[in-house]
Amino acid sequence: MSVWRPIRSIRLKIGFVFALSFFVGFSGAAAYVFYRMRGVLIQQDNRTLTDRATRLLERTSIYPLVIPLPERGEVVALWYVSENFRKRLYQSPAFPTAYAGAKRSAITQIDTFRLARVVRTASDGYGKIAIVVGRSDRPLIRQLQEIGWLLIITLVISMVISGLGAWWLGGWLLSPLRTIINSARSVNRAEQVTSIPTPNTSDELQELADTINDMLARIRQAVDTQQNFFAAASHELRTPLSILRTEIEVAQREAVDERERHFLASQLTELRRLSRLVDDLLAMSQLRAGTLHLRPEPIELDDLTLYLTERYHRPINERQLYLSIRLDETALSLTVLADQDKLINVLLNLLDNAVKYALPQTRLELSILQENHSIVWSLSNRTAVPIPDPNRLSSEFYQADARYDGYGLGLWISHQIVRLMGGTLTVAVADGLFCSTVCFEKR
């Protein structure tokens, strides 16, 4: 699509339309000029030929017989005509034989010859002398062809110059719009909504920039309101949720009835889910506002992974899954620089997703390898959940399958946290195998 975008640009359309309009207008004008010039040249040639025939006829005489000779390139035929008599007095060897005689019109075209006929009364007073003078029209045709080619070349050059001029003019006129587009793209990539520069052109482009800035101001206000709400609500909810969870845990330990324990356990599960949602919303607001603070430190990624998988041993067994861990034995150290608390949250989220969506009685493949100057943490699992667009898994509030618990924030938060720690988080799906990979630079 990026290849076709310049072809569909307004600038190219302006140049194309301007060149096409110039071509239509100039070609019409050139055709009109050509045919008018052609008519003028033909009339001038006919007039010259007729004048030549008249001069030759004036030098012709019957008594005594005087016949003027033609010049080089001319053909001449001479007749004496009376009421009952007609005699050809002279005819050039190259004179066209298709000429029917003295009854032709004043100007005649035969083959490549243009012929002019002039008649006057003979000196004897009885008959008339008719003379026909002709010349080849090839010089005239050659001259018209040269004029035609000159007009065509002028048309092509003028069209190219007009198209390039319109291209340059379009770029100059649309440069403020290109600035607006680039600024809008930077706003789209940025974490915060900022205003785009307004061109001081006093035209529609300035009006467009002002309108976009008004829209961005409303979006910025809505985003700030949303972030403030998430941050305030998360802070306000964390304390009562912690208190409720503590009280329920105490009540669960002191409960004597099995039914009460089951009821309190159910309530505690829901509270933990709600607490995770509040933590995710708080993390999302901090990421959006750029207030998430990191405390990077060297971390042995293999030791941390073994510790987390040991903590996650029970959920893995409950899902009847098998965990295979592969460590790079050739690496001297698998140390990365990251915030330990945030990295634990990321890895636990990836483990939780793998366990949640994995097919029962399948194997989870976890590996930590050194590749060049990077440490790659990878986890793969077999899944029956269709994922048509794996790239959307890193979007906010997106769930591949709504039947499972969750709010679609875990992978997005993990992706942002890993990015802030200088690493990359990627997910891929191929033939029912889901793989999540975290890559850090080796320390």
Side-chain angles (χ1 to χ4, degrees):
M1 185 171 186
S2 60
V3 176
W4 292 100
R5 187 175 298 170
I7 300 179
R8 299 194 303 265
S9 66
I10 296 177
R11 186 179 181 183
L12 183 61
K13 291 177 181 178
I14 291 175
F16 177 75
V17 171
F18 195 88
L20 182 62
S21 302
F22 187 88
F23 172 78
V24 173
F26 189 89
S27 59
Y32 174 78
V33 170
F34 176 78
Y35 284 108
R36 290 283 295 179
M37 187 174 296
R38 177 177 177 272
V40 170
L41 291 177
I42 291 176
Q43 289 179 2
Q44 183 179 357
D45 188 70
N46 292 339
R47 190 180 302 112
T48 302
L49 197 59
T50 302
D51 293 342
R52 173 65 177 166
T54 302
R55 289 195 301 270
L56 291 178
L57 187 59
E58 290 175 351
R59 294 160 51 187
T60 302
S61 173
I62 299 298
Y63 302 104
L65 182 60
V66 177
I67 300 175
L69 296 178
E71 295 180 353
R72 185 176 181 179
E74 286 184 343
V75 292
V76 175
L78 188 65
W79 284 271
Y80 176 77
V81 182
S82 62
E83 292 183 0
N84 300 319
F85 178 78
R86 190 180 84 166
K87 181 181 179 180
R88 183 169 58 190
L89 303 176
Y90 174 79
Q91 180 174 311
S92 299
F95 193 87
T97 58
Y99 192 80
K103 294 183 179 180
R104 286 273 183 169
S105 59
I107 301 297
T108 306
Q109 177 75 36
I110 297 179
D111 295 333
T112 60
F113 285 94
R114 185 176 297 275
L115 306 172
R117 176 176 174 268
V118 178
V119 180
R120 73 174 175 85
T121 304
S123 57
D124 59 3
Y126 294 100
K128 294 182 178 181
I129 301 176
I131 188 171
V132 178
V133 179
R135 273 200 304 251
S136 175
D137 62 349
R138 288 179 179 175
L140 177 62
I141 294 175
R142 192 180 307 113
Q143 186 178 10
L144 291 174
Q145 288 177 346
E146 291 176 356
I147 294 174
W149 280 111
L150 179 62
L151 290 175
I152 291 174
I153 294 173
T154 304
L155 170 62
V156 173
I157 294 176
S158 301
M159 186 176 65
V160 172
I161 293 176
S162 64
L164 294 177
W167 171 271
W168 176 84
L169 182 62
W172 178 70
L173 293 175
L174 295 175
S175 57
L177 183 60
R178 174 57 57 185
T179 303
I180 293 175
I181 292 174
N182 294 333
S183 300
R185 285 178 179 171
S186 64
V187 168
N188 188 41
R189 293 191 298 264
E191 295 294 334
Q192 296 182 350
V193 181
T194 57
S195 301
I196 62 176
T198 302
N200 189 19
T201 55
S202 301
D203 55 9
E204 289 82 357
L205 292 176
Q206 183 175 354
E207 183 179 358
L208 174 63
D210 292 336
T211 303
I212 293 177
N213 282 332
D214 292 339
M215 179 185 66
L216 292 177
R218 292 192 296 271
I219 294 175
R220 181 168 57 248
Q221 183 179 4
V223 170
D224 292 341
T225 302
Q226 182 189 62
Q227 292 177 354
N228 293 334
F229 170 76
F230 283 151
S234 301
H235 279 294
E236 293 297 327
L237 288 173
R238 292 184 74 182
T239 299
L241 286 175
S242 299
I243 295 174
L244 285 173
R245 187 170 60 183
T246 302
E247 291 178 349
I248 290 177
E249 289 174 350
V250 172
Q252 187 180 25
R253 286 196 299 268
E254 295 179 354
V256 294
D257 185 77
E258 187 64 28
R259 182 171 177 272
E260 292 180 358
R261 289 196 184 93
H262 178 74
F263 175 76
L264 292 172
S266 176
Q267 296 299 313
L268 187 59
T269 300
E270 296 301 322
L271 270 177
R272 286 171 179 167
R273 287 184 56 206
L274 188 57
S275 297
R276 284 198 301 270
L277 174 60
V278 170
D279 292 338
D280 288 344
L281 291 177
L282 179 60
M284 183 184 70
S285 64
Q286 290 176 339
L287 288 170
R288 285 295 189 188
T291 58
L292 185 66
H293 299 290
L294 299 177
R295 296 184 298 273
E297 58 180 309
I299 298 173
E300 295 290 339
L301 189 57
D302 49 348
D303 294 340
L304 179 63
T305 301
L306 294 174
Y307 168 73
L308 295 179
T309 53
E310 183 66 26
R311 284 181 50 187
Y312 226 79
H313 187 69
R314 181 177 176 183
I316 293 175
N317 291 335
E318 290 177 351
R319 290 279 294 170
Q320 300 179 359
L321 299 173
Y322 307 95
L323 178 62
S324 172
I325 301 178
R326 177 190 172 195
L327 302 178
D328 194 341
E329 297 179 355
T330 62
L332 298 178
S333 173
L334 296 174
T335 304
V336 298
L337 186 64
D339 186 304
Q340 182 167 330
D341 292 336
K342 302 298 187 296
L343 183 58
I344 288 175
N345 291 336
V346 170
L347 300 182
L348 285 178
N349 179 69
L350 297 179
L351 282 168
D352 183 69
N353 286 337
V355 173
K356 184 189 299 182
Y357 296 106
L359 289 173
Q361 298 182 353
T362 58
R363 184 183 300 274
L364 303 180
E365 301 284 348
L366 195 156
S367 64
I368 307 176
L369 304 175
Q370 178 179 339
E371 297 181 1
N372 297 329
H373 299 287
S374 300
I375 303 297
V376 180
W377 187 98
S378 178
L379 177 63
S380 60
N381 62 278
R382 289 286 172 183
T383 178
V385 178
I387 305 176
D389 188 2
N391 295 327
R392 293 190 60 191
L393 292 175
S394 298
S395 303
E396 299 167 283
F397 302 104
Y398 175 76
Q399 285 184 279
D401 194 336
R403 295 174 299 176
Y404 291 87
D405 294 335
Y407 301 94
L409 288 173
L411 274 179
W412 180 83
I413 293 175
S414 299
H415 176 80
Q416 299 297 325
I417 290 176
V418 171
R419 180 180 61 83
L420 291 176
M421 291 190 296
T424 58
L425 169 61
T426 57
V427 294
V429 181
D431 299 328
L433 184 66
F434 182 86
C435 181
S436 55
T437 305
V438 181
C439 182
F440 286 102
E441 289 187 4
K442 184 178 179 300
R443 297 297 177 180

